[in-house]
Amino acid sequence: MTAPLQTAPRRTTGRSPLAPARRVAATVFAAQGTAVAAVSTTVPAVKERFGLSPQLMTVLVVAIALSAGVGSFVGLGVIRRLGLMAAMRAAVVASAVALLLIGWAPGQAAVAVSYCLFGLALGCIDVSANTRAAAVERHYGRSVFASFYAAWSTAGVAAALLTAGAAHLGWGVEYTLTAQAALVLVLALTIRSHVLPADPPSPVSDHAAGAAGLGRGLWARLAPFGLVLLVAYVIDSTVSSWSTLYLHQTLDTALSVAPLAYAAYQVGTVTGRAGADRLVRRIGPAAVIRAATLLTAAALAGLAAAPAWPYAILAAAGTGLGVSALVPLCLASAGRLRPGATEAVLARMNVFNYIGVLAGGAASGTLGSTGHFRLAYAIPAGLVLTLLATARFFNHPARAAGRA
């Protein structure tokens, strides 16, 4: 049975214990957004420094996704053994170390291992940060999940601008990634321990959920949300991993300008996520999913047809605005399926996440290496329209789960 959101929000003013929990979760999301942007926007520079072929660069992007999938379940084990706070801190620090190793790697083999380490850390952050975000939203009793992803995107904008600025100043990629790693470590230092109140009562207790197991039926209930998550990450991976190279290679843009497409994409996601929670409460999640789907399809088509980099940057911003609400709505809905085992549910949702990253990263990289980057954006423009059929599952989770 799906646990619905409470109808009345809890008090969150004064010395409420929810404020520190929300702040810490937002910090972890920001650290992850910084690290992901650092890796994504330095792809062309790393490729040039180490003499990597387009095919090998595609393999490395796929390796990050595979490692992140493994890291998600490693993170689940760390949470159960050491606790959620320790898992979040360790994963954020590991991502900063990985950035340093990528920048200062002595050769291709070392950079490949460093990318895999980064993927492991990324997966661990995913499951731990989303678990905490789901718990905080349950206590608030209203939609706040998108605000955490707004922090993620805001940090991504800052990191992308740092990459562009460093390239303009002529910094080597090793110094750029060192600066990015320093930002991530500073955020890690602000992750403070805090205490959440006991979970609000839910139809399924922790003990009952553990005794019954998650069950095969859970996969069917996750399927509508998983499909949306998969397509969202196909799009996100295509734009995040390859937009910098698309501008540099296809649109003949300078390295100091090419990262601005990633920055614009994240500006779009920040804008969308800043108002997503309010929009969900006003018109309902199904309407938000439908509107986001149509906007994303139109923006991707514009990105594929862009005649020059200014148009591509504008289309990237529109893509970010459209896709912004999809991921937080999926994870919030999935997290309510088993309130007593949220971390296990979200670890399973990450399977859809990383399949999307794999498909998007591999397909886009392959198309780009053969000179067809425009097709890499045109195909997801059609794919995203299939999500219109899933919107109904977001409004009535219990009924939709039965139909699934």
Side-chain angles (χ1 to χ4, degrees):
M1 182 174 178
T2 301
L5 285 177
Q6 299 170 336
T7 56
R10 295 186 170 212
R11 288 179 60 88
T12 58
T13 57
R15 295 188 176 182
S16 168
L18 297 183
R22 187 174 185 178
R23 189 162 51 247
V24 166
T27 298
V28 176
F29 274 90
Q32 187 188 36
T34 301
V36 170
V39 167
S40 299
T41 57
T42 55
V43 165
V46 170
K47 178 176 173 290
E48 290 183 7
R49 183 186 178 210
F50 292 98
L52 303 174
S53 67
Q55 293 79 8
L56 184 54
M57 201 68 232
T58 300
V59 169
L60 291 179
V61 171
V62 169
I64 292 175
L66 288 172
S67 300
V70 174
S72 181
F73 288 94
V74 170
L76 181 59
V78 174
I79 290 170
R80 289 172 173 171
R81 182 175 293 272
L82 302 178
L84 189 59
M85 293 303 301
M88 288 194 292
R89 286 196 193 98
V92 171
V93 171
S95 68
V97 171
L99 292 178
L100 288 172
L101 293 176
I102 292 169
W104 295 96
Q108 291 186 357
V111 81
V113 171
S114 302
Y115 273 126
C116 290
L117 173 61
F118 178 78
L120 288 170
L122 194 64
C124 187
I125 296 175
D126 266 343
V127 69
S128 58
N130 283 309
T131 296
R132 179 44 47 121
V136 171
E137 182 175 86
R138 280 202 306 274
H139 283 87
Y140 269 83
R142 55 186 172 85
S143 178
V144 297
F145 217 101
S147 66
F148 298 116
Y149 278 87
W152 193 101
S153 299
T154 301
V157 173
L161 292 176
L162 174 57
T163 299
H168 181 71
L169 294 173
W171 289 14
V173 68
E174 63 272 30
Y175 297 104
T176 301
L177 286 172
T178 298
Q180 304 278 21
L183 285 179
V184 174
L185 286 173
V186 167
L187 290 170
L189 292 174
T190 67
I191 300 173
R192 307 287 185 185
S193 296
H194 58 274
V195 178
L196 271 177
D199 268 337
S202 67
V204 181
S205 69
D206 290 6
H207 176 74
L214 294 175
R216 287 178 296 176
L218 180 64
W219 286 106
R221 300 175 70 184
L222 288 176
F225 310 128
L227 175 61
V228 176
L229 194 67
L230 188 154
V231 173
Y233 273 103
V234 165
I235 296 165
D236 183 78
S237 178
T238 301
V239 178
S240 298
S241 299
W242 301 110
S243 62
T244 302
L245 196 59
Y246 172 51
L247 264 68
H248 182 58
Q249 180 176 297
T250 303
L251 301 182
D252 198 25
T253 306
L255 280 177
S256 59
V257 176
L260 296 182
Y262 182 92
Y265 172 73
Q266 294 301 344
V267 167
T269 61
V270 170
T271 304
R273 286 166 177 171
D277 290 320
R278 189 178 296 106
L279 199 60
V280 166
R281 294 193 292 268
R282 175 166 295 186
I283 67 174
V288 172
I289 291 290
R290 292 188 186 100
T293 295
L294 294 173
L295 176 57
T296 303
L300 281 169
L303 188 57
W309 66 263
Y311 300 96
I313 288 174
L314 184 62
T319 303
L321 183 63
V323 82
S324 60
L326 298 181
V327 173
L329 273 176
C330 288
L331 295 175
S333 299
R336 291 194 293 272
L337 292 176
R338 289 285 193 275
T342 304
E343 70 281 0
V345 171
L346 293 178
R348 282 156 177 76
M349 279 295 285
N350 275 349
V351 172
F352 297 100
N353 171 347
Y354 296 119
I355 290 174
V357 172
L358 277 169
S364 301
T366 301
L367 288 169
S369 66
T370 57
H372 296 91
F373 257 133
R374 293 186 186 277
L375 194 58
Y377 293 106
I379 292 173
L383 180 63
V384 72
L385 291 174
T386 63
L387 301 187
L388 291 171
T390 68
R392 62 195 177 97
F393 290 93
F394 288 80
N395 261 354
H396 305 287
R399 217 180 310 159
R403 285 198 297 267

